[in-house]
Amino acid sequence: MLVTMEKIVSLCKRRGFLFQSSEIYGGINACYDYGPLGVELKRNIKDFWWRSMVQERDDIVGLDAAILMHPKVWEASGHVSGFSDPLVDCKQCKQRFREDEIDPKKLEKRQCPRCGNVDALTDARQFNLMFKTHMGPVEESASVIYLRPETAQGIYVNYKNVLDSSRQKIPFGIAQIGKAFRNEITPGNFIFRTREFEQMEMQFFVKPGDDEETFHHWKEIRWAWYKSLGINTDKLRFHEHGKNELAHYAKAAFDIEYEFPIGWKELEGIHNRTDFDLSRHQDYSGKDLTYFDDSTRERFVPYIIETSAGVDRTLLTCLVDSYEEEQLEKEVRTVLRLDPKIAPVKAAVFPLVNRDSMPELAKNIFHDLKKNFNVFYDASGAVGRRYRRQDEAGTPFCITIDSQTLEDDTVTIRDRDTMEQIRVKAAGLKMEIKERITK
Ligand code: GAP
């Protein structure tokens, strides 16, 4: 069974994971809205990252910096002068491309990848990816500010504040989840490359000289995180950046790539940013950003190891990785085998028999479960169809309330992946679901 991007897009629309932004106006390119199931999945992924990267560790603390920052931040970071892609236009069909994405043979002939005309491409122009806007009522150059293209800079400019207020000592990290914006030239492939997206970034501050070991350590931790998210590790690989691929701030970089239906693509970047960022902010702000190590009496500008993951790309990975069309005896069922801990809905409650007391009993069980989990209630249609709807939504457990429930207070619990059903006491249902989610 081949998972295609079209199948994922169609499932996302049908089941309410994702919608095109401003769809009733024809949509806006490369912007998406998360529907009822999508928003739950996204929250669960972010919560899982936050728990593993911040709450379960004693050497990382969290931050939530403003999206709008002083414009000098982006001069210091190198984004004003260096955060650009080479852009070429076709003089014939007017299509626009990133020069580095064109086949070198075609590029040599200045051949358009779309219309095929030779000598049709313009020279490359550098196109800055930052969105510009103005702060205040006057649109003049002095009021220009940017929508942040990465969350990392909010961490660097707060590094001293966090250090002074949290009693952390180097080595330690600061983590943040938040929106980032890039005016991408070639967005697309659904939510793989959008103009508004979310990042989960962690910056780990270390003593110069300890950077390479820490860098390799974080590569392992991040790989293990995807494994614990339930991602098939046969579809993950590391890609080391060559000298000409490295970002302006990086001394070394590895991407964790996933094999999407569109090929192997970056899911997360792990970078050794050296002391580039803090040194630049020190120069541009005039503030001392050095660290004094009490134990060795040394003063230095810390090096930074960064792990930078995209929320939307992780979500797309979870969808692609868990999607299956399973051949059953008489039909094909579409199932999302999402790890239960990130599944948008943990359980669905189905009353089976239409007796007077049944809806009330089922509703009581439903409301009781709702205190602990995100649960869905569905009383309409044949039970087989109700199961299929939940399989497509990735709901790991379905609870049926039937006539036997009235007699012995038991319910059935059906496992999404094996489709096996067992009877359990209604009173023990919460514990049963909790154990299965955390297994
Ligand atoms: N602070 C470093 C940084 O931003 P990056 O490799 O440019 O590094 C990190 O981005 C991650 O952010 C990527 O691996 C990807 O998951 C996500 N990302 C970047 N651009 C994106 C876009 N246009 N749409 C969706 N996700 C994006």
Side-chain angles (χ1 to χ4, degrees):
M1 182 263 327
L2 194 65
V3 187
T4 61
M5 213 57 132
E6 289 71 31
K7 285 181 179 173
I8 299 292
V9 173
S10 159
L11 175 88
C12 283
K13 169 96 202 259
R14 192 165 72 242
R15 303 301 314 165
F17 280 94
L18 280 142
F19 310 119
Q20 171 89 61
S21 166
S22 323
E23 196 185 76
I24 59 166
Y25 289 99
I28 175 167
N29 195 9
C31 297
Y32 287 90
D33 299 339
Y34 285 82
L37 289 183
V39 71
E40 294 290 341
L41 179 57
K42 195 178 184 195
R43 285 175 71 111
N44 293 343
I45 290 171
K46 289 194 284 185
D47 285 351
F48 180 55
W49 186 89
W50 194 258
R51 248 191 343 272
S52 345
M53 295 291 281
V54 182
Q55 293 170 343
E56 289 175 8
R57 301 186 61 104
D58 54 14
D59 57 354
I60 299 184
V61 289
L63 183 80
D64 186 11
I67 289 173
L68 302 178
M69 302 179 74
H70 196 291
K72 276 242 157 133
V73 168
W74 305 110
E75 285 175 37
S77 69
H79 284 82
V80 171
S81 58
F83 192 56
S84 50
D85 280 339
L87 173 78
V88 292
D89 291 295
C90 174
K91 289 179 266 186
Q92 299 295 329
C93 70
K94 309 292 176 212
Q95 188 73 23
R96 191 158 272 182
F97 307 93
R98 268 172 63 170
E99 190 185 44
D100 54 1
E101 286 181 348
I102 300 175
D103 175 351
K105 285 192 192 124
K106 290 197 168 138
L107 197 58
E108 213 173 291
K109 294 187 269 175
R110 311 305 294 168
Q111 184 181 13
C112 174
R114 183 167 176 251
C115 68
N117 278 299
V118 175
D119 281 331
L121 299 178
T122 60
D123 288 340
R125 285 179 291 137
Q126 289 301 321
F127 174 75
N128 194 293
L129 300 181
M130 282 198 294
F131 277 101
K132 257 187 209 172
T133 185
H134 293 268
M135 189 164 249
V138 187
E139 292 195 11
E140 57 183 12
S141 59
S143 67
V144 165
I145 54 160
Y146 302 94
L147 300 187
R148 67 180 177 200
E150 61 170 11
T151 63
Q153 299 300 325
I155 294 181
Y156 306 145
V157 300
N158 275 296
Y159 137 82
K160 266 272 152 139
N161 285 335
V162 173
L163 194 61
D164 295 344
S165 57
S166 66
R167 301 178 59 85
Q168 288 288 342
K169 281 187 166 37
I170 275 177
F172 82 104
I174 306 178
Q176 167 161 237
I177 300 177
K179 289 266 184 177
F181 305 83
R182 293 183 192 177
N183 202 358
E184 298 280 3
I185 302 170
T186 53
N189 288 315
F190 196 32
I191 53 167
F192 179 80
R193 184 173 286 118
T194 51
R195 294 197 166 107
E196 174 179 344
F197 55 97
E198 243 177 311
Q199 290 185 314
M200 306 182 278
E201 296 201 303
M202 192 283 301
Q203 314 295 325
F204 207 75
F205 299 84
V206 297
K207 188 175 163 181
D210 291 348
D211 52 312
E212 287 181 17
E213 196 186 331
T214 311
F215 179 64
H216 290 292
H217 182 54
W218 275 105
K219 268 176 62 192
E220 282 167 26
I221 297 179
R222 293 306 302 150
W223 180 278
W225 187 80
Y226 288 105
K227 193 172 172 198
S228 60
L229 191 61
I231 303 299
N232 175 4
T233 48
D234 290 343
K235 294 197 144 229
L236 290 176
R237 72 177 186 194
F238 280 116
H239 164 73
E240 183 174 11
H241 282 214
K243 284 271 170 285
N244 55 353
E245 281 175 279
L246 285 174
H248 61 273
Y249 49 71
K251 162 180 159 185
F254 276 85
D255 290 338
I256 296 180
E257 293 187 335
Y258 180 79
E259 191 178 17
F260 289 97
I262 48 171
W264 287 96
K265 298 275 175 197
E266 174 186 345
L267 178 54
E268 163 159 355
I270 300 157
H271 311 124
N272 182 344
R273 297 183 71 132
T274 68
D275 58 359
F276 176 86
D277 300 277
L278 290 185
S279 299
R280 294 274 291 201
H281 285 305
Q282 187 165 255
D283 290 348
Y284 277 71
S285 68
K287 297 285 180 327
D288 177 12
L289 297 180
T290 56
Y291 178 83
F292 183 68
D293 188 334
D294 279 332
S295 57
T296 60
R297 316 298 296 164
E298 283 173 284
R299 184 172 286 284
F300 54 84
V301 176
Y303 269 39
I304 292 168
I305 305 303
E306 167 183 70
T307 70
S308 177
V311 175
D312 314 78
R313 249 178 232 189
T314 305
L315 185 140
L316 181 62
T317 305
C318 291
L319 290 174
V320 168
D321 202 65
S322 66
Y323 182 96
E324 194 180 328
E325 287 169 9
E326 187 182 15
Q327 183 65 56
L328 303 179
E329 216 171 290
K330 290 194 181 136
E331 58 173 325
V332 174
R333 73 163 180 150
T334 301
V335 54
L336 282 185
R337 298 187 191 278
L338 292 168
D339 190 298
K341 63 177 169 287
I342 56 159
V345 176
K346 304 299 183 215
V349 176
F350 302 159
L352 283 196
V353 189
N354 224 353
R355 284 211 220 139
D356 285 351
S357 53
M358 193 61 76
E360 196 191 334
L361 178 62
K363 277 265 157 119
N364 287 344
I365 291 175
F366 166 69
H367 285 298
D368 191 41
L369 288 177
K370 235 177 156 23
K371 290 178 192 153
N372 297 78
F373 314 103
N374 192 28
V375 192
F376 186 76
Y377 185 83
D378 189 357
S380 65
V383 69
R385 294 192 58 167
R386 287 187 247 175
Y387 283 140
R388 294 293 167 269
R389 284 199 287 260
Q390 295 308 315
D391 288 343
E392 274 201 342
T395 307
F397 312 112
C398 290
I399 319 294
T400 52
I401 320 294
D402 55 18
S403 47
Q404 198 179 325
T405 312
L406 298 171
E407 288 156 23
D408 62 7
D409 209 24
T410 62
V411 298
T412 70
I413 177 163
R414 176 226 190 225
D415 184 281
R416 174 199 65 201
D417 297 337
T418 61
M419 294 189 288
E420 272 172 19
Q421 293 188 27
I422 57 161
R423 286 203 88 85
V424 296
K425 279 277 178 203
L429 196 51
K430 264 190 196 174
M431 190 50 80
E432 179 73 27
I433 294 175
K434 195 167 169 217
E435 277 171 11
R436 290 182 184 218
I437 290 174
T438 48
K439 193 163 72 180

